[in-house]
Amino acid sequence: MERRTIGAAALGVGAIGLGCMPMSWAYSASEQSGEESLRTVHAALDRGMTLLDTADMYGPFTNELLIGRVLKERREDAFVSTKCGLLVGEQHIVANGRPGYVKRACDASLRRLQTDFIDLYQLHRADPEVPVEETWGAMAELVSEGKVRALGFSAVGARADHRNRPVTTGSGIHAATIRQLERVQGVFPVSGVQAELAVWSREALDSLLPWCVSHGVGFMAAMPLGNGYLTGTLTPGGGFETDDVRARHPRFTAEMMAANQPVVAGLRRVAERHGEVTPAQVALAWLLAQGREVVPLPGTKKERRVAENAAAADLALTPADMAELDALPAAQGSWE
Ligand SMILES: NC(=O)c1ccc[n+]([C@@H]2O[C@H](COP(=O)([O-])OP(=O)(O)OC[C@H]3O[C@@H](n4cnc5c(N)ncnc54)[C@H](OP(=O)(O)O)[C@@H]3O)[C@@H](O)[C@H]2O)c1
């Protein structure tokens, strides 16, 4: 697979990474199987999808434990990107950016991941009670201690929210993230930024991705498949299990899923022009074409998806394809 670099530290990764969240978090637990997840991670590494994106809050903790079982066997094949700063409580997710907490969280992640270093350590969300420079300073100390190779921001301007509602990006969020990025750059260089970017949610193209390009920072596209919608495999009105975030997600009501079908139709039209290509592959190829800083993180817990998602790196979209995809409507039904 083509290689791309993550930021100032110039760390090489496969152009497409693996979002590990669906293995342990956010989507229905009924389909989660530790054994299949392990096979999925191995299959991704075999295909050069080296960036494994996890977080201590996914599970919580079980996602890192799972990744740790793979890293124990093949640490040198993987680029581990994990996150700290969000705690899952009974009712709410809360941010904690206190320096002492961040240091302890890193040590705990290292133990769960069964490794002695993390390639990219990201602040999941900023803590409104702690100046972000203080949190970032503690993270920078982790780099000097050799526990972490590079630092990243994950949609830091976004707020922490109730566990049964999406915790993500949205309009106005990117401006807040950029203000915080500017503040921490003076403390220690940012290597990676992670935020939502997909063909139906392109807000990051206006300011956040250009900021990354101008500062030599890698951009990891979260939710690149629109939480599964852009693959064309979800049926409007099909419903979701109650523990699946999409059951309460404004974009996934039967009405909005029907209203957003023109986006899937557009992906399908482009896919059909390329022969044996799927809408998911077109959605990922569109992201790769946004610039060499972009590394999409398609999430899956299913081994059989890996070959399909990895092959998107070989799909060359034409200028006409790109124009058609750029003209598709934005998602109806916001996260907010
Ligand atoms: N920093 C943040 O705040 C933040 C927020 C959200 C996500 N993320 C990161 O971004 C990653 C990606 O986001 P995401 O996983 O929520 O959304 P996504 O990648 O847009 O979509 C994931 C969904 O698509 C399905 N899927 C994947 N490949 C498919 C294919 N080829 N055909 C059909 N269905 C397919 C998966 O189902 P199956 O599992 O059944 O295949 C899963 O339900 C996460 O895993 C996480 O690492 C970060």
Side-chain angles (χ1 to χ4, degrees):
M1 179 178 290
E2 177 201 329
R3 306 271 294 172
R4 295 196 166 187
T5 54
I6 298 290
L11 304 170
V13 294
I16 299 178
L18 179 67
C20 299
M21 184 177 79
M23 300 170 187
S24 326
W25 184 249
Y27 300 99
S28 173
S30 71
E31 282 195 23
Q32 288 165 2
S33 140
E35 291 313 308
E36 172 152 30
S37 294
L38 287 173
R39 289 197 300 276
T40 304
V41 180
H42 278 292
L45 294 178
D46 291 344
R47 289 180 184 273
M49 299 168 89
T50 56
L51 195 162
L52 307 178
D53 187 67
T54 179
D56 56 4
M57 72 162 280
Y58 297 162
F61 311 125
T62 50
N63 200 240
E64 285 189 337
L65 287 168
L66 189 87
I67 304 307
R69 289 172 65 187
V70 177
L71 295 183
K72 192 177 177 196
E73 292 172 26
R74 48 192 304 191
R75 180 67 184 89
E76 67 287 357
D77 294 339
F79 179 99
V80 187
S81 134
T82 192
K83 318 180 190 84
C84 67
L86 285 181
L87 279 111
V88 180
E90 281 297 308
Q91 295 296 323
H92 291 84
I93 294 171
V94 289
N96 189 340
R98 289 193 293 278
Y101 169 75
V102 166
K103 295 288 203 69
R104 288 193 302 279
C106 180
D107 287 338
S109 285
L110 287 168
R111 278 194 298 276
R112 286 188 292 272
L113 290 165
Q114 302 199 51
T115 181
D116 50 11
F117 69 97
I118 291 162
D119 294 288
L120 184 71
Y121 201 43
Q122 300 169 85
L123 181 57
H124 212 154
R125 296 288 184 274
D127 182 342
E129 308 292 325
V130 180
V132 71
E133 294 87 344
E134 284 182 23
T135 310
W136 200 251
M139 293 173 71
E141 284 174 23
L142 294 168
V143 180
S144 24
E145 290 162 16
K147 296 176 177 175
V148 165
R149 292 173 80 196
L151 300 184
F153 250 49
S154 150
V156 171
R159 61 188 152 70
D161 210 334
H162 187 276
R163 72 168 297 166
N164 289 328
R165 288 193 52 194
V167 180
T168 184
T169 62
S171 55
I173 296 294
H174 296 321
T177 299
I178 290 171
R179 283 195 296 277
Q180 289 175 320
L181 285 165
E182 299 280 2
R183 285 167 60 186
V184 301
Q185 274 290 59
V187 179
F188 190 87
V190 179
S191 286
V193 165
Q194 184 172 136
E196 181 182 13
L197 178 61
V199 72
W200 72 346
S201 50
R202 298 183 288 248
E203 294 91 342
L205 297 183
D206 296 338
S207 56
L208 192 55
L209 179 58
W211 188 93
C212 290
V213 172
S214 65
H215 291 80
V217 169
F219 184 99
M220 285 150 286
M223 297 173 275
L225 299 173
N227 307 96
Y229 186 82
L230 300 175
T231 67
T233 57
L234 299 180
T235 317
F240 298 98
E241 303 217 15
T242 51
D243 64 343
D244 190 310
V245 287
R246 293 170 296 186
R248 287 165 298 285
H249 189 321
R251 277 184 200 161
F252 288 87
T253 61
E255 186 193 1
M256 287 304 143
M257 285 180 74
N260 285 318
Q261 279 297 301
V263 184
V264 175
L267 289 163
R268 220 185 280 285
R269 268 195 312 276
V270 172
E272 280 164 5
R273 285 206 290 272
H274 288 267
E276 299 288 307
V277 162
T278 65
Q281 291 172 323
V282 174
L284 295 174
W286 177 86
L287 279 164
L288 290 172
Q290 300 308 316
R292 288 195 51 81
E293 292 75 15
V294 178
V295 176
L297 303 174
T300 184
K301 55 192 164 313
K302 299 200 177 106
E303 185 185 7
R304 68 176 189 274
R305 312 277 202 219
V306 171
E308 176 185 342
N309 294 348
D314 301 323
L315 173 60
L317 297 173
T318 66
D321 295 332
M322 289 300 288
E324 187 169 344
L325 294 166
D326 288 343
L328 290 176
Q332 297 189 49
S334 100
W335 275 109
E336 296 297 303

